[in-house]
Amino acid sequence: MKQLRLDALLSRFGYCSRSEARAWLKAGRVLVSGAPVKSPSDKAVPTNVLVDGEPIEHPHGLLVLLHKPAGLVCTHDEGEGPTIYDILPPRWLQRNPPVTSIGRLDKDTTGVLLLTDLGEIVHRWTSPKHKVPKLYEVTVSAELPPGLVDLFASGTLMLEGEDKPCLPAKLEILGTREARLEITEGRYHQVKRMFASQGCPVVRLHRSRFGEFDLAGLAPGEWRVLATPPDSPR
Ligand code: URA
């Protein structure tokens, strides 16, 4: 793990701003290898640092699995109403970079949402190149037409305003208005637009899996901190 200047370290992990760090150090709140340190330019490995007697939280970066409830938006913009960040620990947002969702779910969509402060993971898990499968449980308001499984699997479905067809997607029909869809992309409102393009407006959307992660044991609004992947940058 890399050494960081103490002012940068306190800011990186959300304790205080770089400019506030001097006062934190002066007050003796920060120990490195058990001894108080006074200079913000001194360097330390995060796992050797105690702040107010406690180890640095999540020094390898944060990866979180949230069961997103309905009614919250996935944005850092406070102006758009209640957000998923309102239900997470405030210090996670003060990290630098802040914890942010890996892709987004619509306000009315529920289910698996991953969040991280590791930019490399966001890129790797949202890029269509990496084909991370995402599984959705879908309810629509009109009868699902015949031929939908083949159409979605064909890789020819064009969505309005786009110049490339959707990648092949696996559709399982569960009932006349219910289905399960696996996609490997994350286009804007993709699942709703795929069904709407065939005359079937989506009335309920729940993501039950993202890659290897599902909601086992998590009620809506609950989250679990996951181990960061061993090959993620530290
Ligand atoms: N597709 C959508 O249309 N909405 C979501 O929230 C996720 C995928």
Side-chain angles (χ1 to χ4, degrees):
M1 192 188 275
K2 243 181 32 195
Q3 284 201 330
L4 294 174
R5 278 177 59 116
L6 287 169
D7 53 1
L9 185 152
L10 292 175
S11 150
R12 162 72 184 95
F13 296 108
Y15 291 90
C16 62
S17 68
R18 286 182 79 138
S19 54
E20 287 161 347
R22 186 175 294 279
W24 280 53
L25 296 172
K26 209 166 154 202
R29 299 177 70 176
V30 182
L31 304 185
V32 176
S33 303
V37 176
K38 294 283 182 249
S39 169
S41 62
D42 281 357
K43 291 186 169 178
V45 170
T47 45
N48 282 346
V49 177
L50 296 182
V51 179
D52 294 334
E54 298 290 332
I56 296 284
E57 286 176 340
H58 314 294
H60 300 294
L62 249 177
L63 178 62
V64 179
L65 169 56
L66 169 69
H67 185 162
K68 181 193 173 294
L72 302 181
V73 288
C74 296
T75 174
H76 286 285
D77 184 351
E78 297 285 317
E80 291 189 30
T83 81
I84 49 166
Y85 301 106
D86 297 339
I87 62 171
L88 297 173
R91 184 172 291 151
W92 290 2
L93 294 182
Q94 284 155 23
R95 287 166 77 100
N96 190 10
V99 164
T100 197
S101 66
I102 302 177
R104 291 181 176 196
L105 292 176
D106 297 335
K107 185 172 181 177
D108 56 353
T109 303
T110 56
V112 178
L113 187 67
L114 292 164
L115 300 107
T116 187
D117 61 353
L118 296 166
E120 161 63 17
I121 297 188
V122 178
H123 171 72
R124 206 184 324 150
W125 290 357
T126 53
S127 158
K129 214 171 68 194
H130 290 94
K131 294 202 165 47
V132 177
K134 279 140 301 211
L135 191 64
Y136 292 90
E137 317 290 328
V138 187
T139 307
V140 294
S141 61
E143 273 191 26
L144 294 162
L148 212 53
V149 172
D150 290 342
L151 176 66
F152 284 2
S154 69
T156 62
L157 179 71
M158 289 295 294
L159 296 178
E160 211 177 299
E162 305 230 353
D163 54 6
K164 284 201 190 97
C166 294
L167 290 175
K170 286 183 208 156
L171 180 68
E172 190 187 342
I173 305 288
L174 303 174
T176 50
R177 288 159 201 243
E178 294 192 348
R180 188 173 287 140
L181 179 68
E182 184 186 282
I183 58 175
T184 57
E185 307 174 274
R187 301 187 194 194
Y188 184 65
H189 294 325
Q190 179 165 347
V191 176
K192 290 179 184 169
R193 289 164 70 211
M194 286 174 74
F195 282 93
S197 75
Q198 304 307 308
C200 297
V202 171
V203 292
R204 179 184 163 267
L205 187 56
H206 174 79
R207 183 157 71 189
S208 52
R209 181 170 278 278
F210 183 118
E212 66 189 89
F213 302 105
D214 64 26
L215 290 166
L218 285 182
E222 290 184 346
W223 68 81
R224 179 164 48 239
V225 174
L226 305 170
T228 50
D231 56 346
S232 55
R234 304 269 152 118

Short mmCIF file of all heavy atoms in Angstrom, two decimals, residues 68 74 104-110 134 136 181 183 185-194 202 205-207, ligand 1:
data_model
loop_
_atom_site.label_atom_id
_atom_site.label_comp_id
_atom_site.label_asym_id
_atom_site.label_seq_id
_atom_site.Cartn_x
_atom_site.Cartn_y
_atom_site.Cartn_z
N LYS A 68 -31.23 -1.23 -3.16
CA LYS A 68 -31.85 0.09 -3.40
C LYS A 68 -33.36 -0.02 -3.25
O LYS A 68 -34.00 -0.84 -3.92
CB LYS A 68 -31.50 0.61 -4.80
CG LYS A 68 -32.11 1.98 -5.07
CD LYS A 68 -32.04 2.36 -6.53
CE LYS A 68 -32.80 3.64 -6.80
NZ LYS A 68 -34.27 3.52 -6.59
N CYS A 74 -30.27 8.06 -7.95
CA CYS A 74 -28.82 7.75 -7.87
C CYS A 74 -28.03 8.93 -8.38
O CYS A 74 -27.45 8.88 -9.47
CB CYS A 74 -28.49 6.52 -8.72
SG CYS A 74 -29.27 5.02 -8.18
N ARG A 104 -26.41 3.31 -12.66
CA ARG A 104 -27.55 3.86 -11.91
C ARG A 104 -28.78 3.00 -12.07
O ARG A 104 -28.91 2.28 -13.05
CB ARG A 104 -27.88 5.27 -12.44
CG ARG A 104 -26.82 6.28 -12.10
CD ARG A 104 -27.19 7.65 -12.60
NE ARG A 104 -26.19 8.62 -12.19
CZ ARG A 104 -26.35 9.93 -12.21
NH1 ARG A 104 -27.49 10.46 -12.63
NH2 ARG A 104 -25.39 10.72 -11.82
N LEU A 105 -29.66 3.11 -11.09
CA LEU A 105 -31.01 2.55 -11.24
C LEU A 105 -31.98 3.73 -11.19
O LEU A 105 -31.73 4.72 -10.48
CB LEU A 105 -31.32 1.57 -10.11
CG LEU A 105 -30.52 0.25 -10.10
CD1 LEU A 105 -30.87 -0.57 -8.85
CD2 LEU A 105 -30.78 -0.57 -11.35
N ASP A 106 -33.09 3.62 -11.91
CA ASP A 106 -34.09 4.69 -11.91
C ASP A 106 -34.70 4.82 -10.51
O ASP A 106 -34.66 3.89 -9.70
CB ASP A 106 -35.22 4.37 -12.90
CG ASP A 106 -34.71 4.28 -14.32
OD1 ASP A 106 -33.67 4.90 -14.63
OD2 ASP A 106 -35.36 3.57 -15.12
N LYS A 107 -35.34 5.96 -10.29
CA LYS A 107 -35.96 6.24 -8.99
C LYS A 107 -36.91 5.11 -8.55
O LYS A 107 -36.92 4.69 -7.40
CB LYS A 107 -36.73 7.56 -9.09
CG LYS A 107 -37.32 8.03 -7.79
CD LYS A 107 -37.89 9.43 -7.95
CE LYS A 107 -38.46 9.93 -6.63
NZ LYS A 107 -38.96 11.30 -6.73
N ASP A 108 -37.70 4.59 -9.50
CA ASP A 108 -38.68 3.56 -9.13
C ASP A 108 -38.13 2.13 -9.21
O ASP A 108 -38.83 1.18 -8.89
CB ASP A 108 -39.94 3.69 -10.00
CG ASP A 108 -39.64 3.62 -11.50
OD1 ASP A 108 -38.44 3.61 -11.86
OD2 ASP A 108 -40.59 3.58 -12.30
N THR A 109 -36.89 1.97 -9.64
CA THR A 109 -36.30 0.63 -9.74
C THR A 109 -35.68 0.24 -8.40
O THR A 109 -35.06 1.07 -7.73
CB THR A 109 -35.21 0.59 -10.83
OG1 THR A 109 -35.77 1.01 -12.07
CG2 THR A 109 -34.62 -0.79 -10.99
N THR A 110 -35.86 -1.03 -8.03
CA THR A 110 -35.30 -1.53 -6.78
C THR A 110 -34.19 -2.55 -7.09
O THR A 110 -34.05 -2.99 -8.23
CB THR A 110 -36.39 -2.23 -5.95
OG1 THR A 110 -36.98 -3.26 -6.76
CG2 THR A 110 -37.49 -1.25 -5.53
N LYS A 134 -26.29 -8.38 -15.95
CA LYS A 134 -27.21 -7.78 -14.97
C LYS A 134 -28.58 -8.41 -15.18
O LYS A 134 -29.06 -8.47 -16.31
CB LYS A 134 -27.29 -6.26 -15.17
CG LYS A 134 -26.11 -5.55 -14.52
CD LYS A 134 -25.52 -4.42 -15.28
CE LYS A 134 -25.00 -4.75 -16.62
NZ LYS A 134 -23.87 -3.99 -17.13
N TYR A 136 -32.64 -8.65 -14.41
CA TYR A 136 -33.79 -7.84 -14.01
C TYR A 136 -35.06 -8.67 -13.98
O TYR A 136 -35.30 -9.48 -14.90
CB TYR A 136 -33.99 -6.68 -15.00
CG TYR A 136 -32.88 -5.66 -14.95
CD1 TYR A 136 -31.76 -5.79 -15.77
CD2 TYR A 136 -32.95 -4.57 -14.09
CE1 TYR A 136 -30.74 -4.85 -15.73
CE2 TYR A 136 -31.93 -3.62 -14.05
CZ TYR A 136 -30.83 -3.78 -14.87
OH TYR A 136 -29.81 -2.85 -14.82
N LEU A 181 -34.92 -10.67 -17.46
CA LEU A 181 -34.06 -10.27 -18.58
C LEU A 181 -32.63 -10.10 -18.10
O LEU A 181 -32.37 -9.41 -17.10
CB LEU A 181 -34.55 -8.93 -19.16
CG LEU A 181 -33.73 -8.38 -20.33
CD1 LEU A 181 -33.88 -9.27 -21.56
CD2 LEU A 181 -34.14 -6.94 -20.66
N ILE A 183 -29.03 -8.58 -19.30
CA ILE A 183 -28.33 -7.75 -20.29
C ILE A 183 -26.89 -7.53 -19.82
O ILE A 183 -26.59 -7.67 -18.64
CB ILE A 183 -29.02 -6.38 -20.52
CG1 ILE A 183 -29.13 -5.57 -19.22
CG2 ILE A 183 -30.38 -6.56 -21.17
CD1 ILE A 183 -29.69 -4.16 -19.40
N GLU A 185 -25.22 -4.68 -21.04
CA GLU A 185 -24.94 -3.25 -21.22
C GLU A 185 -25.66 -2.49 -20.12
O GLU A 185 -26.35 -3.07 -19.29
CB GLU A 185 -25.50 -2.76 -22.56
CG GLU A 185 -25.06 -3.57 -23.74
CD GLU A 185 -25.78 -3.11 -24.98
OE1 GLU A 185 -26.90 -3.59 -25.24
OE2 GLU A 185 -25.23 -2.26 -25.69
N GLY A 186 -25.56 -1.16 -20.17
CA GLY A 186 -26.29 -0.35 -19.20
C GLY A 186 -26.66 0.97 -19.86
O GLY A 186 -26.30 2.03 -19.36
N ARG A 187 -27.38 0.86 -20.99
CA ARG A 187 -27.80 2.10 -21.66
C ARG A 187 -28.87 2.80 -20.84
O ARG A 187 -29.55 2.16 -20.02
CB ARG A 187 -28.35 1.79 -23.05
CG ARG A 187 -27.34 1.09 -23.94
CD ARG A 187 -27.89 0.96 -25.33
NE ARG A 187 -27.10 0.03 -26.12
CZ ARG A 187 -27.18 -0.08 -27.42
NH1 ARG A 187 -28.03 0.68 -28.10
NH2 ARG A 187 -26.44 -0.94 -28.07
N TYR A 188 -29.07 4.06 -21.15
CA TYR A 188 -30.04 4.89 -20.43
C TYR A 188 -31.43 4.25 -20.48
O TYR A 188 -31.94 3.96 -21.57
CB TYR A 188 -30.04 6.27 -21.08
CG TYR A 188 -30.92 7.28 -20.42
CD1 TYR A 188 -30.65 7.72 -19.12
CD2 TYR A 188 -32.02 7.81 -21.09
CE1 TYR A 188 -31.48 8.66 -18.51
CE2 TYR A 188 -32.84 8.75 -20.49
CZ TYR A 188 -32.56 9.16 -19.21
OH TYR A 188 -33.37 10.09 -18.60
N HIS A 189 -32.02 3.98 -19.33
CA HIS A 189 -33.35 3.36 -19.23
C HIS A 189 -33.49 2.12 -20.13
O HIS A 189 -34.55 1.88 -20.73
CB HIS A 189 -34.45 4.36 -19.63
CG HIS A 189 -34.59 5.53 -18.71
ND1 HIS A 189 -34.40 5.46 -17.36
CD2 HIS A 189 -34.92 6.82 -18.98
CE1 HIS A 189 -34.60 6.65 -16.81
NE2 HIS A 189 -34.89 7.50 -17.77
N GLN A 190 -32.41 1.35 -20.24
CA GLN A 190 -32.38 0.33 -21.29
C GLN A 190 -33.51 -0.69 -21.20
O GLN A 190 -34.17 -0.99 -22.20
CB GLN A 190 -31.04 -0.42 -21.27
CG GLN A 190 -31.00 -1.52 -22.35
CD GLN A 190 -29.62 -2.04 -22.61
OE1 GLN A 190 -28.64 -1.44 -22.19
NE2 GLN A 190 -29.52 -3.14 -23.33
N VAL A 191 -33.75 -1.23 -20.00
CA VAL A 191 -34.75 -2.30 -19.91
C VAL A 191 -36.14 -1.74 -20.23
O VAL A 191 -36.90 -2.33 -21.02
CB VAL A 191 -34.73 -2.94 -18.50
CG1 VAL A 191 -35.82 -3.97 -18.35
CG2 VAL A 191 -33.35 -3.55 -18.22
N LYS A 192 -36.45 -0.59 -19.68
CA LYS A 192 -37.77 0.01 -19.95
C LYS A 192 -37.93 0.30 -21.43
O LYS A 192 -39.01 0.09 -22.01
CB LYS A 192 -37.94 1.29 -19.13
CG LYS A 192 -38.08 1.03 -17.64
CD LYS A 192 -38.22 2.33 -16.87
CE LYS A 192 -38.27 2.06 -15.36
NZ LYS A 192 -38.16 3.28 -14.57
N ARG A 193 -36.87 0.79 -22.06
CA ARG A 193 -36.97 1.13 -23.49
C ARG A 193 -37.08 -0.13 -24.35
O ARG A 193 -37.76 -0.13 -25.37
CB ARG A 193 -35.78 1.98 -23.91
CG ARG A 193 -35.86 3.40 -23.32
CD ARG A 193 -34.53 4.09 -23.39
NE ARG A 193 -34.15 4.44 -24.74
CZ ARG A 193 -32.88 4.49 -25.16
NH1 ARG A 193 -31.90 4.19 -24.35
NH2 ARG A 193 -32.62 4.83 -26.41
N MET A 194 -36.39 -1.20 -23.95
CA MET A 194 -36.49 -2.44 -24.75
C MET A 194 -37.93 -2.95 -24.76
O MET A 194 -38.48 -3.29 -25.81
CB MET A 194 -35.54 -3.51 -24.17
CG MET A 194 -34.08 -3.24 -24.46
SD MET A 194 -32.98 -4.42 -23.63
CE MET A 194 -33.21 -5.90 -24.61
N VAL A 202 -43.05 -0.92 -18.91
CA VAL A 202 -42.63 -1.59 -17.66
C VAL A 202 -43.30 -0.89 -16.48
O VAL A 202 -43.24 0.34 -16.35
CB VAL A 202 -41.09 -1.53 -17.52
CG1 VAL A 202 -40.65 -2.01 -16.13
CG2 VAL A 202 -40.42 -2.37 -18.61
N LEU A 205 -39.74 -2.82 -11.93
CA LEU A 205 -38.42 -3.27 -12.35
C LEU A 205 -37.55 -3.47 -11.12
O LEU A 205 -37.43 -2.57 -10.28
CB LEU A 205 -37.80 -2.21 -13.29
CG LEU A 205 -36.48 -2.58 -13.96
CD1 LEU A 205 -36.62 -3.88 -14.76
CD2 LEU A 205 -36.04 -1.45 -14.90
N HIS A 206 -36.97 -4.66 -11.05
CA HIS A 206 -36.14 -5.01 -9.88
C HIS A 206 -34.89 -5.71 -10.40
O HIS A 206 -34.98 -6.65 -11.18
CB HIS A 206 -36.94 -5.96 -8.98
CG HIS A 206 -36.16 -6.50 -7.83
ND1 HIS A 206 -35.92 -5.77 -6.68
CD2 HIS A 206 -35.53 -7.70 -7.65
CE1 HIS A 206 -35.20 -6.50 -5.83
NE2 HIS A 206 -34.95 -7.67 -6.40
N ARG A 207 -33.72 -5.21 -9.98
CA ARG A 207 -32.48 -5.88 -10.40
C ARG A 207 -32.09 -6.87 -9.31
O ARG A 207 -31.79 -6.49 -8.19
CB ARG A 207 -31.36 -4.86 -10.62
CG ARG A 207 -30.09 -5.54 -11.12
CD ARG A 207 -29.18 -4.60 -11.87
NE ARG A 207 -28.57 -3.63 -11.00
CZ ARG A 207 -27.87 -2.59 -11.44
NH1 ARG A 207 -27.72 -2.38 -12.74
NH2 ARG A 207 -27.33 -1.74 -10.60
N1 URA B 1 -33.05 -0.23 -17.13
C1 URA B 1 -34.00 0.69 -16.87
O1 URA B 1 -34.79 1.01 -17.73
N2 URA B 1 -34.06 1.23 -15.64
C2 URA B 1 -33.22 0.89 -14.64
O2 URA B 1 -33.32 1.41 -13.53
C3 URA B 1 -32.23 -0.08 -14.91
C4 URA B 1 -32.16 -0.62 -16.17
#
